[in-house]
Amino acid sequence: MRTSTAHDSALLPVTSTQLLAQHVAQGLSRTPKTLSSMYFYDDAGSRLFQQIMALPEYYPTRTEFALLTAHCEAIGKALRPQEADEPFFLLELGAGDGLKTKILLRHLLETGAQVTYVPVDISAAALDGLVASLQAELPDLPVEPVVADYADALALMAARPGRKAVLFLGSNIGNFLPDERLRFLRRLARPLTSDDRLLIGFDLQKDPRVIRAAYDDAQGVTASFNLNLLVRLNRELGADFDLTHWQHYTDYDPLDGAVRSFLVSTKAQTVNVRALQQSFEFAAWEVIHTENSYKFTRPILDNLAAQSDLQILEYFTDDKDYFVDAIFNVIS
């Protein structure tokens, strides 16, 4: 058996735990302290998010579900190749439970599309559940699940020959800061050809009270979802966050269209992270910024497409104009 040395240790793979530790070390050393929302989605976080999507205040999921139901025929036609028998991959970033995607998948199968579904998610448990449900509900559908983050999924997409339709539903694009969003879309467009299609969900700007309530529900499920990030750090990095001294806070700024979520330290405290052999000081009412969720307008989307070398082929929206699924292709 070959043993590693200091010389070749840089060749060893970096584990997901090491990446999380590096992120925490950097994020909790900043001012203000910050942690990425991508780390919400361990198995417990994914289960909590399933509960959030069913809450009465959380309109995005049911709105996009209704949108896809109403427009599935037109959306399916826009995504698949013009040649009816040409095979293609339907690759979904952040697939989750696939509840909304099944609307499209069912329609595509019923209309004879030669489609292979490639769901991508950071949670293996979420993908296992999705694959099991697809085997039961759509047994004729070829499925190739991939446990990966978005960066790895983009690399995978670049390596796959053949026609692709890429889904990024649920307004996940809103979690990126504006500069990050532009870089992500440019990276997403790079491996695509003008024959490929990209469908992205965008939550539109609306009554600020409606938006805020969606991220601070009366049952406290969203609070548990946010606080679960600290539970994860305790479990995976040996941190000693005492959840009785932390609370969830969120607000919506209609000036820039951003929902911002925070974890708030309710007293002065020191948190130790054993995996880092490091301690972090928190003042009373100091925050950790955990999530952004930007809301959009049509002019913002037009500008975003133009800056990303994409063109918007079609818009599909709901009857309240709360949400839009936009279909793009790459400008050749």
Side-chain angles (χ1 to χ4, degrees), residues 95-306:
D97 66 356
L99 179 67
K100 292 174 291 188
T101 314
K102 289 175 185 176
I103 299 168
L104 289 176
L105 292 171
R106 192 172 287 108
H107 172 77
L108 288 169
L109 289 179
E110 289 172 353
T111 54
Q114 301 300 306
V115 58
T116 297
Y117 179 46
V118 184
V120 178
D121 202 280
I122 201 168
S123 169
L127 279 180
D128 289 343
L130 172 58
V131 171
S133 69
L134 287 170
Q135 288 173 342
E137 298 174 41
L138 301 172
D140 296 330
L141 175 70
V143 182
E144 299 180 8
V146 177
V147 179
D149 61 19
Y150 294 157
D152 289 340
L154 292 171
L156 167 73
M157 184 167 40
R160 298 296 291 266
R163 173 73 183 270
K164 305 173 189 72
V166 180
L167 303 183
F168 198 42
L169 300 176
S171 199
N172 289 318
I173 192 71
N175 295 137
F176 293 93
L177 292 168
D179 288 348
E180 294 172 341
R181 182 190 311 141
L182 184 58
R183 286 196 298 271
F184 175 76
L185 282 179
R186 286 172 173 170
R187 288 184 62 201
L188 191 56
R190 200 171 298 139
L192 300 178
T193 72
S194 58
D195 290 330
D196 295 328
R197 295 294 180 264
L198 174 60
L199 186 154
I200 303 179
F202 296 92
D203 196 5
L204 299 177
Q205 294 183 18
K206 59 187 70 66
D207 183 343
R209 296 169 186 82
V210 170
I211 294 174
R212 189 186 185 285
Y215 294 84
D216 196 15
D217 64 279
Q219 296 181 46
V221 182
T222 310
S224 296
F225 178 66
N226 202 5
L227 288 161
N228 180 65
L229 180 54
L230 303 185
V231 176
R232 179 177 186 178
L233 301 188
N234 286 351
R235 180 183 67 250
E236 297 187 22
L237 301 183
D240 61 358
F241 286 96
D242 182 345
L243 268 64
T244 62
H245 300 307
W246 291 87
Q247 63 184 26
H248 163 73
Y249 177 75
T250 193
D251 208 356
Y252 172 63
D253 183 353
L255 294 177
D256 66 358
V259 177
R260 294 181 177 87
S261 296
F262 305 90
L263 292 164
V264 184
S265 173
T266 61
K267 70 169 194 173
Q269 57 183 307
T270 301
V271 174
N272 304 295
V273 182
R274 188 171 63 246
L276 297 172
Q277 296 185 326
Q278 191 172 353
S279 298
F280 299 92
E281 300 294 330
F282 292 87
W285 308 112
E286 185 176 0
V287 302
I288 304 173
H289 183 191
T290 56
E291 184 178 28
N292 299 296
S293 185
Y294 281 85
K295 310 306 173 185
F296 299 88
T297 64
R298 300 293 180 88
I300 290 173
L301 299 188
D302 291 340
N303 186 54
L304 187 60

Side-chain angles (χ1 to χ4, degrees), residues 13-24:
V14 178
T15 68
S16 58
T17 300
Q18 288 173 317
L19 289 173
L20 175 60
Q22 291 169 10
H23 176 75
V24 170

